[in-house]
Amino acid sequence: MTLLLGPDDRRELWRRLSDAVESYTDQVASLHPAPGLEPSAPSLDPAIVREFVEGFDFDHGIDPFELVDRVVEGLRTYQTQTSHPRYFGLFNPASTTMGIAADFLVAAFNPQLAAWSHSPFAIEVEDRLMRSFGRRLGFEPSAAEGVFTSGGAEANHTGLLVALESVFPQWKRGGVRALPGQPVLYVSTEGHHSVAKAVRLAGLGDDALHTVPVGDDLRMDIDALRDRVRADRGEGAAPFMVVATAGATSAGTIDDIAAVAEVAAAEGLWCHVDAAWGGAALLVPELRGHFAGIERADSVVVDAHKWLSVPMGAGMFLTRHPDLLPRTFAVGTPYMPQAVGGSPVDPYLRSMQWSRRFIGLKLFLSLAAAGWEGYAAVLRHQVALAERLRRELDRHGWEVVNRTPLPVVCFVDRTEASAEHLDAIVAAVVGAGRAWISMARIGTGQPVIRVCVTNYRTTEQDIDALVEAVNQARAA
Ligand SMILES: Cc1ncc(COP(=O)(O)O)c(C=O)c1O
């Protein structure tokens, strides 16, 4: 067996792959959405999964067709089926068909996106997407600039580094020692923990992150932000950045971006918006108002692999300050190809990554096939499904406790809101394979059942079946 199969075997392999993908797509709704969580299922046992994986013998080449069959079996058996229409989970949607096609093409052609001269088509595709999404954000088209990342965590990390470069240009050379005081950035208590990780990765230390309380609406308390910045400055610290969350992970709430941008402008902070999940809503004109002020952000994160349903990983970092990415990331070297006159800055000079795969193609093909309108129709439908869910829950004695225009619904039982009670309901629904839902804690730690309509194949029947499942679990 060589690394390159012969042409007949290759054709047969592609045929089998496409059959496997097609039957998965066709049958996923009838699979258990979370086999690993079913109490009676063996897949929760790490020893069993490990034994299955150890069964692949590296000492002797295995027939490629058999390999594919066995891997497909592993994927069908030992994973939470995030493509299931009743997976109401953590922003992991089913992959778009064109996104799957894109990843197949990318693996085969394997363009290297470090330098423009190696992959001009791929880089122009990605830059076109950045301009298009920048326009959606309301950024000046000639200034909008960005890079694809592995996901939201890398994009938030990019935002932090760019903010440091912008506010403390001496940081690049002298590191944190060169800062005028303890650096401080702000995010609400509902913000995503990848910001905390980025702070640590940047060497700032956990103490640099100040969490700002939220109001009853679970949005950042703007007065508390302003007071905290001033108090920190008064104590000799060096505040430099604020992160507004637009579509919080647990409750889907959207900070008042305009107000955050106002404080940022007044206090000389970099304003970053983490719209990793919620940013997709900018494709739906009637939802745009909830993001008012996003055009004033210095940088924004939108993950295509969340609500835009392309395969993982596809994050986008966008900024309206085009010089800052190269200022932050460029390091010169003679062994890389020379820039071609008139081409954009090579991506390895404006990204955390060096060698890079063609991340943007899955979004490019999905968007080009669906069009803005096609995407908007799907997102609108999901928002309507969440509305239906809220109505039905209310009718059946549940209390929805989060307020958001986005399709995340957090709720409790009106008569008994303890974590144990809610946990038992979630376990019963998930264990019986009726849907995948989860527990979350919001605000001051209130336990809630969390449901996110994240799959474009979810229907009204799925919503009604979910309501029936939670009702029955509660009654039991
Ligand atoms: C609001 C928000 N920001 C950032 C992230 C991190 O994104 P990723 O998992 O793509 O790195 C998430 C993940 O769920 C998120 O919900």
Side-chain angles (χ1 to χ4, degrees):
M1 178 50 51
T2 67
L3 296 182
L4 179 67
L5 273 56
D8 292 343
D9 282 347
R10 289 202 301 272
R11 274 198 195 89
E12 177 59 15
L13 190 66
W14 308 148
R15 195 189 61 71
R16 285 179 185 228
L17 286 178
S18 94
D19 282 354
V21 171
E22 187 48 33
S23 56
Y24 177 65
T25 306
D26 207 33
Q27 294 162 11
V28 65
S30 61
L31 298 180
H32 194 301
L37 294 178
E38 190 177 22
S40 58
S43 51
L44 193 57
D45 185 344
I48 291 180
V49 186
R50 203 163 300 140
E51 189 186 330
F52 181 82
V53 175
E54 290 291 335
F56 292 80
D57 176 8
F58 295 157
D59 291 331
H60 308 93
I62 306 172
D63 173 66
F65 305 129
E66 184 197 327
L67 275 175
V68 166
D69 288 348
R70 283 166 64 185
V71 166
V72 168
E73 184 195 337
L75 291 168
R76 285 179 72 121
T77 313
Y78 302 118
Q79 72 169 18
T80 299
Q81 303 300 347
T82 54
S83 302
H84 196 296
R86 291 184 191 168
Y87 173 79
F88 294 104
L90 300 168
F91 305 152
N92 303 306
S95 296
T96 58
T97 307
M98 293 310 285
I100 298 168
D103 264 3
F104 185 73
L105 287 170
V106 168
F109 285 79
N110 207 23
Q112 163 60 288
L113 273 77
W116 189 91
S117 62
H118 263 49
S119 298
F121 170 72
I123 291 168
E124 292 296 336
V125 163
E126 291 200 340
D127 284 358
R128 161 96 195 268
L129 285 168
M130 287 299 161
R131 288 193 298 275
S132 302
F133 276 84
R135 218 169 282 135
R136 292 265 145 180
L137 294 175
F139 286 177
E140 177 59 43
S142 59
E145 153 90 316
V147 282
F148 274 90
T149 62
S150 56
E154 184 192 326
N156 278 332
H157 190 182
T158 301
L160 172 59
L161 299 177
V162 166
L164 279 170
E165 169 61 26
S166 170
V167 183
F168 305 125
Q170 69 275 33
W171 155 82
K172 199 164 56 203
R173 198 166 186 89
V176 283
R177 287 186 320 279
L179 304 187
Q182 163 72 46
V184 180
L185 66 156
Y186 305 86
V187 66
S188 93
T189 48
E190 295 291 310
H192 193 262
H193 290 76
S194 56
V195 176
K197 207 187 223 185
V199 168
R200 198 177 290 174
L201 293 175
L204 301 187
D206 294 357
D207 289 347
L209 185 63
H210 288 188
T211 46
V212 180
V214 291
D216 291 343
D217 56 2
L218 302 179
R219 302 161 85 205
M220 185 187 280
D221 179 334
I222 301 297
D223 289 336
L225 168 68
R226 198 181 292 107
D227 292 349
R228 190 75 203 267
V229 174
R230 291 184 183 160
D232 287 340
R233 234 189 259 291
E235 287 171 15
F240 71 99
M241 178 185 196
V242 56
V243 179
T245 307
T249 312
S250 293
T253 44
I254 304 171
D255 286 340
D256 182 342
I257 303 173
V260 174
E262 197 71 45
V263 174
E267 298 292 338
L269 310 179
W270 181 270
C271 177
H272 176 79
V273 178
D274 180 356
W277 171 65
L282 290 161
L283 275 53
V284 185
E286 64 270 27
L287 295 178
R288 180 72 172 74
H290 298 284
F291 296 80
I294 200 164
E295 67 285 350
R296 293 170 60 193
D298 295 298
S299 57
V300 178
V301 166
V302 181
D303 262 4
H305 70 202
K306 289 192 165 64
W307 202 6
L308 294 174
S309 299
V310 311
M312 288 178 280
M316 288 187 278
F317 170 84
L318 295 110
T319 174
R320 59 183 175 81
H321 305 281
D323 56 326
L324 270 171
L325 280 167
R327 263 175 52 193
T328 307
F329 293 110
V331 285
T333 154
Y335 53 74
M336 289 299 281
Q338 291 302 301
V340 174
S343 66
V345 176
D346 284 334
Y348 84 98
L349 298 170
R350 54 180 159 115
S351 152
M352 208 182 284
Q353 302 183 19
W354 200 285
S355 291
R356 191 159 65 73
R357 82 193 303 268
F358 188 5
I359 297 170
L361 186 63
K362 42 200 166 190
L363 179 58
F364 186 76
L365 289 187
S366 302
L367 177 59
W372 295 114
E373 255 318 305
Y375 254 121
V378 170
L379 305 184
R380 202 174 273 132
H381 177 61
Q382 291 172 308
V383 167
L385 289 179
E387 266 311 305
R388 180 187 185 92
L389 176 62
R390 290 183 188 105
R391 272 197 315 272
E392 287 302 304
L393 289 171
D394 187 56
R395 218 161 62 78
H396 288 95
W398 303 93
E399 186 186 355
V400 174
V401 292
N402 66 326
R403 295 281 164 268
T404 173
L406 307 180
V408 168
V409 182
C410 297
F411 61 98
V412 297
D413 184 355
R414 245 182 236 145
T415 53
E416 152 77 271
S418 74
E420 295 71 29
H421 176 60
L422 300 178
D423 214 18
I425 292 169
V426 169
V429 170
V430 176
R434 302 189 65 173
W436 196 96
I437 56 177
S438 60
M439 288 287 292
R441 288 193 181 257
I442 61 174
T444 50
Q446 179 183 18
V448 295
I449 299 178
R450 177 187 180 281
V451 169
C452 179
V453 182
T454 188
N455 186 316
Y456 55 81
R457 293 171 77 182
T458 302
T459 62
E460 293 181 349
Q461 288 73 39
D462 294 315
I463 296 296
D464 296 347
L466 172 66
V467 174
E468 192 185 321
V470 290
N471 286 344
Q472 286 175 357
R474 176 177 56 181

